[in-house]
Amino acid sequence: SMSNEGKLATLIEVEVGQIDRGASLQFLSQYPGEEEVLLPPLSNLEVVGKPRMEYSGEGTTIVIPCRISCNLKTLTMDELVARRKQQMVAMQRNLMQETR
């Protein structure tokens, strides 16, 4: 809705699929009338259409259509740390061999 400062409310309309669907947190919400969702790790919102204006008795809202884009190929932090550790161990071996 339009506030006293003349700002518009923004609503992000999210389209989800079976793979990138988040976990419902509605039972924890401070606002029981709203559906809150925890997005999967390594995901982001991708705008999929032009924003549109919706008008109601309460004011004007900008609606931005989006979808969740989940990157299933990116390594997790644990995998990155393990890979870095392997690289450091290999580098240490090479340095030891070179200094003999």
Side-chain angles (χ1 to χ4, degrees):
S1 299
M2 190 73 88
S3 71
N4 293 339
E5 298 120 23
K7 296 180 182 177
L8 297 174
T10 302
L11 176 71
I12 299 174
E13 184 178 68
V14 181
E15 169 189 327
V16 295
Q18 290 299 318
I19 292 176
D20 49 20
R21 179 178 47 191
S24 176
L25 297 177
Q26 190 170 12
F27 68 98
L28 296 172
S29 178
Q30 179 179 349
Y31 307 100
E34 296 183 5
E35 186 174 342
E36 297 181 24
V37 176
L38 179 64
L39 299 179
L42 306 171
S43 62
N44 56 61
L45 291 176
E46 179 182 353
V47 177
V48 294
K50 290 185 177 183
R52 65 184 186 277
M53 305 293 274
E54 289 193 3
Y55 307 96
S56 71
E58 297 178 15
T60 304
T61 303
I62 300 172
V63 180
I64 303 171
C66 297
R67 75 169 168 230
I68 297 174
S69 180
C70 193
N71 186 344
L72 300 174
K73 294 185 180 185
T74 300
L75 298 177
T76 65
M77 288 302 295
D78 290 339
E79 292 168 330
L80 287 171
V81 168
R83 178 187 279 181
R84 183 71 175 153
K85 184 177 178 180
Q86 288 174 345
Q87 291 171 340
M88 292 292 112
V89 169
M91 184 172 71
Q92 179 187 18
R93 279 191 217 122
N94 289 339
L95 288 172
M96 295 293 285
Q97 289 177 356
E98 288 179 12
T99 57
R100 286 186 184 165

